Amino acid sequence: MHRLGIKFAVVLAGVMCALAQTGNSDEVPRFEDYPAKVIYKGPLAQPVLATREQRLFRTRIRNGVSAGEGVSRPGAQMEHPGPNFAGRYIIVNIGCGSPCVLMPIVDAQTGRIHNPPGANSLMLPSYGGEPWLPCVEFRVDSNLMIMRPSQGMAESPIYDRYFLWQADRWKLLRQILRKPESPQDPAKCR
């Protein structure tokens, strides 16, 4: 009984420590909470086309990195080259038919290409199987990415998802059920 009590106390202490680190679970993640440490301003590396899919879209990916085609920023009127996410990454938006969007994420320093959150390819995922074109929010000075699916085509509950880019991996921080009467703000979408 005594050993069981000690194990319980250790587990309880671990849970309390984890809760203290994550803060209030009701808080919505904000860009300011996950700042990028440095904004890369050096020369842009050539994209490293490692997969068949990346090679298939090589021209669009290369033009995104070198000329800024498909590279958007909040408040910017024109597309231009350079990082637009997490300090050193270039997110290139490539349309591939409705409702299909590819979103390669290119490391400006190394040229390595990453997939969007929750995806095994460059294509934005379709959570729950329903097709949707998401509103994807991100900033150059933050490691947070927010994905808000459109309500137009979904029949199941819709979740806004908050992802953290950390050590070349995506971590789902939070998913929040969106109420049917509260549509996404189109002004926040790119």
Side-chain angles (χ1 to χ4, degrees), residues 18-113:
L19 286 174
Q21 289 177 351
T22 59
N24 184 350
S25 63
D26 291 335
E27 289 181 16
V28 175
R30 300 174 314 151
F31 290 111
E32 302 80 31
D33 298 334
Y34 303 95
K37 293 179 181 168
V38 177
I39 308 298
Y40 180 72
K41 298 193 187 299
L44 303 176
Q46 286 294 316
V48 177
L49 305 166
T51 68
R52 183 172 184 242
E53 180 186 40
Q54 292 169 3
R55 288 187 294 276
L56 182 64
F57 293 96
R58 67 185 169 272
T59 302
R60 299 293 303 275
I61 294 170
R62 287 177 179 155
N63 289 347
V65 171
S66 66
E69 293 178 15
V71 177
S72 60
R73 286 165 181 72
Q77 298 297 337
M78 297 177 58
E79 301 169 328
H80 55 84
N84 61 349
F85 172 65
R88 68 182 238 200
Y89 297 91
I90 303 166
I91 295 178
V92 182
N93 291 303
I94 302 171
C96 51
S98 181
C100 174
V101 175
L102 300 178
M103 199 174 85
I105 302 169
V106 184
D107 186 318
Q109 286 182 289
T110 67
R112 185 169 175 216
I113 300 172

